[in-house]
Amino acid sequence: MNKETQLQKNFDKQGFDAGASSLKIICWYFISVIFVRSGIIPFSSILVLILRMFGAKIGKDVRIKPGLYVHYPWKLTIGDHSWIAECRIENLAQVTIGSNACISQEAMLLTGNHDYKKTGFDLITKPITIANGAWVGARAIVCPGITLKSHAVLTVGAVATKSLEPYGIYQGNPATKVKDRVIS
């Protein structure tokens, strides 16, 4: 006989650690809503400064567009010369974005999910790595535990459910390799 899910407000978080105090989380929430997500500040350098103030490790010459959503900036690392558009970084676990990488408009990096095999819909978190030169296209989704290796491309609207090999171009849901990326 099949069991049924028993959704509860206090589901099993499997030892999840937000990585910051409740006060820091609350402060980040309000600063993020007012200044980062709202688009009120159009200057990348100020957005980078705000994220760094809350613990994000961000390299030099990084471009961040207004409207960015970052769940926990202290669990975010971005290398030099990367571009981050108005996307959603749902980083319950570490998200590492290499140098010269691009995360396009409305892309989603999801480090958390729920275990559909458990009656309590327990939380599962896994880190995401976007390697140097990789590109996540507009409205693409990167699932928990995925790595986009060096210069891989996840095309518009694609869903990465498995890691992407270096210099591969992937499309579809689930994303499959369609060709090699050749940079001239």
Side-chain angles (χ1 to χ4, degrees), residues 80-91:
D80 299 336
H81 312 290
S82 288
W83 298 352
I84 313 296
E86 60 279 7
C87 61
R88 186 175 187 92
I89 301 175
E90 190 72 47
N91 58 333

Side-chain angles (χ1 to χ4, degrees), residues 1-183:
M1 180 167 173
N2 286 334
K3 291 185 176 184
E4 295 181 359
T5 56
Q6 301 292 314
L7 301 182
Q8 302 172 30
K9 180 179 178 184
N10 294 320
F11 56 89
D12 188 349
K13 296 181 182 175
Q14 304 291 315
F16 173 74
D17 180 10
S21 68
S22 295
L23 179 61
K24 185 174 183 177
I25 292 169
I26 290 167
C27 288
W28 168 246
Y29 175 80
F30 286 108
I31 295 295
S32 173
V33 167
I34 295 167
F35 297 110
V36 182
R37 291 171 23 191
S38 71
I40 195 169
I41 297 177
F43 306 108
S44 179
S45 57
I46 295 173
L47 296 171
V48 167
L49 177 65
I50 292 169
L51 286 164
R52 283 180 178 153
M53 286 172 46
F54 279 90
K57 295 173 185 74
I58 301 176
K60 63 183 179 186
D61 197 31
V62 170
R63 299 289 175 233
I64 295 185
K65 294 288 210 171
L68 171 66
Y69 174 94
V70 175
H71 200 80
Y72 295 139
W74 47 91
K75 292 186 177 192
L76 177 63
T77 301
I78 304 172
D80 299 336
H81 312 290
S82 288
W83 298 352
I84 313 296
E86 60 279 7
C87 61
R88 186 175 187 92
I89 301 175
E90 190 72 47
N91 58 333
L92 301 177
Q94 180 67 33
V95 168
T96 303
I97 300 169
S99 295
N100 300 295
C102 179
I103 313 298
S104 295
Q105 299 85 346
E106 298 183 25
M108 294 177 67
L109 307 183
L110 305 172
T111 62
N113 205 340
H114 294 276
D115 189 347
Y116 65 88
K117 296 175 187 173
K118 303 280 182 144
T119 59
F121 221 44
D122 302 345
L123 179 66
I124 301 169
T125 61
K126 295 179 183 176
I128 289 174
T129 300
I130 310 296
N132 294 345
W135 178 13
V136 177
R139 293 195 172 182
I141 299 171
V142 179
C143 293
I146 301 303
T147 296
L148 273 70
K149 296 180 182 172
S150 176
H151 295 83
V153 176
L154 184 63
T155 62
V156 172
V159 180
T161 59
K162 294 182 181 174
S163 292
L164 280 57
E165 293 304 314
Y167 289 90
I169 299 176
Y170 292 77
Q171 68 182 30
N173 180 6
T176 56
K177 185 176 178 182
V178 293
K179 62 183 172 180
D180 291 321
R181 180 180 185 185
V182 178
I183 300 174

